[in-house]
Amino acid sequence: MVRVVRTGQSAPAQFDLSKQSVSELNKFVHGHLEGVTEVRVENPDGAHSIAVAVDAPLRIEIGGNVGYFCAGLNKQATVMIDGNAGPGVAENMMSGRVEVAGFASGGAGASAHGGLLVIHGDAGLRCGISLKGADIVVGGDVGSFSAFMAQAGRIVICGNAAEGLGDSLYEAVVYVRGGIRSLGADAEVQPMGAEDTAAVTALLAAAGIGHPAREFKRVGSARKLYHWNVDANQEY
Amino acid sequence: MATQPLLQMPATPERLQREESALYDRQVLDYIERAAATGLYEIRGLGAKRRLPHFDDLVFLGASLSRYPLEGYREKCTTRTILGTRFARKPIELDIPITIAGMSFGSLSANVKEALGRAATSVGTSTTTGDGGMTLEERVSSKTLVYQCLPSRYGFNPDDLRRADAIEVVIGQGAKPGGGGMLLGQKVSARVAAMRTLPEGIDQRSACRHPDWTGPDDLAIKIKELREATDWEKPIYIKIGATRVFNDVKLCVHAGADVIVVDGMQGGTAATQLAFIEHVGIPTLAAVRQAVEALEELNMKDKVQLIVSGGIRTGADVAKALALGADAVAIGQGILMALGCNSDSYVQGGKHYSAEADYRRLMTAPGFCHHCHTGFCPVGVTTQDPVLEQRLEPEVGAKRVRNYLKTLNLELTTLARACGKQNVHHLEREDLVALTVEAAAMARLPLAGTRWVPGQP
Ligand code: SF4
């Protein structure tokens, strides 16, 4: 039984995950949502797969920490996580906005095709791995192998990046404000152009984080791994 | 009689030394020559070419006096196959236990994908997408379509996920367990590139690990996510390349699979390093047995279904796989060959045209081709070239694949009836013996005419 409190057109639907299951919540947000524009989720308590595969212009507020894959496969929805997020937050997001107030674990925004992921704290390993067009803004640091094989999209890192940033990058671009422990294969620091400055400014504004764009450097692909090269050292 | 002068023989006859080395035979010489010339490993298509213990090394013990056969043409023998009964609300129902394996749009042309969908639908079986996403053509033409979730996640999206009838999480492939996909630049056309979010014409190497999970415990959570995303409706398959099959199958069960697909080392690929194709993984024969043992040990046989692939070519192969404990098989290379792979001609407007010159251009010949990676498939099967792809007309392709699948199914039911079975799923290990010690050991079956099962007291 789904216990949804709807006290009026604008009042949010309420879910209490200490009493209701994640499946009930997901089924609800996948359903016909006449009149519902907001969903409030209490006591997430680290549960996995909260609000996955939503395809509606909902605002979903989650009051606490979430487990794996929160807001995975998201389309259209705005998902606000008032806590920390486990691995794969907003994985394969297509559109919409996912915002984490705290830290995010590994694989944040993995293979996301569109939309904006904002992480106010640090992000763990492999942030933006296999990114396919989404934008990610991280207020803090990112872990090793972030932007690994990222194909398209932008990642703005306000803190530092750990080892192997942008390994085997395709056309995605990474902007880093702090230090870079090391770059991955085929990643290089490139000059910031006017478009880059504009992009960083706009993304930071969208994320509500205030740093001047000129403090960022750009990391892009040297495109040396795009083609097999007979004479190349085959160490990759 | 006058004596004829003897023919003048040279004192020392010229004798060419042709003592071939088993260790450095012509294949190895060719390999070393190639390596020395290029400094790059060889990449090719299809699967292992070396001789391996296989289903050919098993034979059926048809019914005789100790068992009754069924009348070959009159008595019923059902082939209905249900997959995904463990957790999914909507299991897959197939008319035959022979499915079409995952092959990507990119490696195959859109025409081919459409032909496969039509053929599968007409015989009541399923097709599978591949590394590169779902095309509209294949969705429309396939009644039952399995959607792969691969490490690369190229083109992966929730809309296609919902449109699919089942989901297959691909951990590995028999041709390259532990390796990622490859698609060389010639095949990364504008449409393929757009579907995969890649620059056109680059040599694409896909990841070998999934981006958002590592290890079996994570996989269990990932599978739950996919179930949540589809409201627990669709069966979830896990596909593994055959290596440590016994343990891997157990982990698949623990991770929550409805169906497990085990792909032996004879399984094909569109492009992989030769070293991988011939030297990684175990033969399908050994893999089936290990998979079945793992399911039996967990008391999961018939609860979690097993699909076997990797070198399934004939109805006899299908029957033997089922007798060993598989619930269904998946075919890739055989399907390509039904479409005309390695044939000397292609059909256009009802007429055959020679493709020999185009094989020659690839420096190969019909019967020897494994050049799918080049994108210049002489018969229009594994290509994105706008001219070459026309060589496979979808109607012709669909008809050939349909005929091929029908033939396999007829052979399967013939063998099942001969073994006295009214249902092909009743074929059992007791119906089989092995012809070689290797096959007996791998399949744990008695050597023909003996009670000896290698490794058993
Ligand atoms: S004929 Fe075509 S499909 Fe067959 S091996 Fe050659 S290139 Fe590949």
Side-chain angles (χ1 to χ4, degrees):
Chain A
M1 196 192 69
V2 184
R3 281 182 296 169
V4 183
V5 182
R6 258 183 267 179
T7 51
Q9 187 79 0
S10 58
Q14 304 273 354
F15 274 82
D16 183 345
L17 292 185
S18 68
K19 300 195 181 86
Q20 290 160 289
S21 71
V22 172
S23 296
E24 283 174 81
L25 165 67
N26 282 327
K27 227 169 163 193
F28 176 78
V29 291
H30 296 163
H32 303 287
L33 296 158
E34 284 127 49
V36 180
T37 53
E38 279 185 51
V39 179
R40 176 87 200 154
V41 180
E42 296 299 349
N43 299 311
D45 200 22
H48 306 314
S49 307
I50 293 176
V52 295
V54 180
D55 186 4
L58 287 175
R59 181 182 169 89
I60 302 172
E61 286 181 8
I62 304 168
N65 301 328
V66 296
Y68 281 58
F69 308 129
C70 182
L73 299 151
N74 184 52
K75 267 179 98 175
Q76 303 188 66
T78 296
V79 181
M80 310 294 284
I81 301 161
D82 194 10
N84 302 316
V89 63
E91 67 85 20
N92 221 96
M93 171 166 58
M94 305 304 290
S95 63
R97 177 186 176 109
V98 175
E99 195 160 341
V100 184
F103 297 119
S105 183
S111 77
H113 288 65
L116 174 66
L117 168 63
V118 180
I119 297 157
H120 288 280
D122 299 334
L125 303 173
R126 298 182 288 271
C127 175
I129 181 174
S130 296
L131 194 71
K132 289 174 171 59
D135 293 318
I136 302 178
V137 179
V138 182
D141 302 337
V142 297
S144 302
F145 298 107
S146 288
F148 178 74
M149 286 183 111
Q151 298 167 225
R154 298 166 296 184
I155 306 176
V156 178
I157 301 159
C158 300
N160 306 311
E163 284 91 356
L165 179 70
D167 197 289
S168 311
L169 254 187
Y170 289 102
E171 296 296 289
V173 181
V174 187
Y175 301 101
V176 189
R177 181 161 160 269
I180 299 168
R181 183 124 9 110
S182 68
L183 289 169
D186 212 30
E188 62 180 16
V189 174
Q190 299 170 338
M192 285 283 284
E195 287 163 36
D196 296 304
T197 308
V200 172
T201 306
L203 286 167
L204 287 171
I209 296 174
H211 293 295
R214 66 181 141 72
E215 291 177 2
F216 289 78
K217 45 196 162 292
R218 174 192 156 109
V219 173
S221 174
R223 298 178 182 162
K224 290 203 181 102
L225 297 183
Y226 278 20
H227 296 281
W228 294 105
N229 180 352
V230 175
D231 300 320
N233 187 359
Q234 294 292 317
E235 277 187 334
Y236 49 81
Chain B
M1 198 197 274
T3 321
Q4 295 288 321
L6 284 171
L7 219 65
Q8 280 289 305
M9 290 287 286
T12 45
E14 194 184 303
R15 290 176 63 242
L16 274 178
Q17 292 276 303
R18 286 183 192 274
E19 190 187 354
E20 189 166 15
S21 165
L23 196 58
Y24 296 93
D25 61 11
R26 271 168 284 180
Q27 268 176 310
V28 173
L29 289 175
D30 187 53
Y31 160 83
I32 295 177
E33 201 175 304
R34 210 193 153 281
T38 63
L40 189 63
Y41 42 48
E42 185 182 350
I43 294 165
R44 70 162 171 86
L46 300 187
K49 287 194 167 188
R50 58 149 105 197
R51 162 129 184 90
L52 293 162
H54 198 44
F55 294 115
D56 284 342
D57 302 316
L58 307 180
V59 284
F60 278 103
L61 302 174
S64 176
L65 264 182
S66 48
R67 294 201 182 191
Y68 296 115
L70 299 186
E71 287 292 348
Y73 302 104
R74 294 170 198 88
E75 288 186 80
K76 225 180 103 197
C77 179
T78 153
T79 55
R80 195 158 167 270
T81 302
I82 315 276
L83 302 170
T85 51
R86 188 182 181 195
F87 292 120
R89 282 198 288 121
K90 291 189 180 167
I92 298 291
E93 291 188 30
L94 302 176
D95 294 338
I96 62 172
I98 311 166
T99 67
I100 300 182
M103 292 180 278
S104 73
F105 165 67
S107 73
L108 305 183
S109 70
N111 275 1
V112 170
K113 287 303 272 180
E114 184 187 333
L116 298 186
R118 284 200 215 175
T121 302
S122 75
V123 298
T125 191
S126 62
T127 49
T128 314
T129 64
D131 198 1
M134 183 190 286
T135 65
L136 190 63
E137 288 94 329
E138 67 183 326
R139 178 59 282 185
V140 170
S141 65
S142 313
K143 176 171 171 272
T144 307
L145 183 58
V146 183
Y147 187 44
Q148 288 191 328
C149 175
L150 292 119
S152 71
R153 306 284 164 88
Y154 292 139
F156 193 76
N157 69 76
D159 300 326
D160 288 338
L161 190 71
R162 282 185 278 258
R163 268 195 280 270
D165 300 292
I167 303 159
E168 181 170 298
V169 180
V170 179
I171 313 298
Q173 202 179 322
K176 50 183 163 191
M182 260 184 196
L183 196 68
L184 300 192
Q186 306 88 293
K187 294 175 90 167
V188 185
S189 68
R191 184 177 173 197
V192 171
M195 273 180 77
R196 300 183 184 212
T197 328
L198 287 170
E200 200 179 324
I202 67 152
D203 294 329
Q204 167 246 297
R205 301 146 297 130
S206 339
C208 63
R209 292 195 303 242
H210 282 259
D212 53 350
W213 62 269
T214 49
D217 295 336
D218 278 11
L219 175 58
I221 302 170
K222 181 71 197 174
I223 284 181
K224 282 244 177 69
E225 185 209 7
L226 294 171
R227 292 201 193 278
E228 284 295 326
T230 53
D231 296 324
W232 293 73
E233 188 180 280
K234 299 169 203 304
I236 298 190
Y237 302 9
I238 304 180
K239 177 176 178 173
I240 54 170
T243 56
R244 297 172 183 87
V245 177
F246 184 73
N247 291 336
D248 288 346
V249 163
K250 284 183 154 186
L251 291 172
C252 290
V253 171
H254 286 301
D258 291 305
V259 176
I260 300 171
V261 184
V262 175
D263 192 24
M265 74 175 283
Q266 293 99 320
T269 173
T272 296
Q273 297 92 328
L274 174 74
F276 245 130
I277 298 178
E278 298 285 4
H279 299 281
V280 184
I282 66 168
T284 306
L285 191 59
V288 191
R289 196 214 83 234
Q290 285 203 345
V292 172
E293 275 182 11
L295 290 175
E296 281 170 351
E297 199 175 293
L298 294 174
N299 207 13
M300 278 292 171
K301 182 89 180 60
D302 304 325
K303 292 182 192 124
V304 171
Q305 283 81 30
L306 175 67
I307 300 179
V308 166
S309 59
I312 305 282
R313 307 148 300 167
T314 63
D317 288 347
V318 180
K320 290 168 188 175
L322 263 51
L324 286 173
D327 295 280
V329 299
I331 305 186
Q333 292 171 91
I335 297 288
L336 299 187
M337 287 159 198
L339 288 167
C341 160
N342 267 297
S343 162
D344 50 17
S345 64
Y346 58 92
V347 177
Q348 248 5 187
K351 283 206 202 85
H352 281 267
Y353 292 88
S354 172
E356 304 243 9
D358 294 296
Y359 282 102
R360 179 84 207 150
R361 222 159 282 150
L362 291 174
M363 301 302 283
T364 186
F368 300 92
C369 189
H370 55 218
H371 291 57
C372 315
H373 61 287
T374 64
F376 300 116
C377 175
V379 290
V381 177
T382 52
T383 184
Q384 293 298 323
D385 182 279
V387 176
L388 288 172
E389 73 174 358
Q390 301 302 323
R391 291 187 178 177
L392 196 276
E393 295 173 354
E395 308 76 47
V396 175
K399 196 170 156 210
R400 284 177 162 184
V401 171
R402 177 188 153 86
N403 283 341
Y404 175 56
L405 292 172
K406 275 175 69 182
T407 306
L408 298 192
N409 202 50
L410 275 172
E411 288 177 347
L412 166 65
T413 51
T414 300
L415 291 169
R417 285 193 186 97
C419 292
K421 311 292 200 254
Q422 289 181 325
N423 182 334
V424 295
H425 298 290
H426 294 167
L427 283 164
E428 55 195 326
R429 292 171 56 81
E430 284 66 31
D431 294 320
L432 290 171
V433 291
L435 297 175
T436 66
V437 175
E438 287 86 352
M442 287 187 189
R444 294 247 169 96
L445 289 171
L447 191 64
T450 77
R451 285 188 200 154
W452 180 51
V453 180
Q456 282 182 10

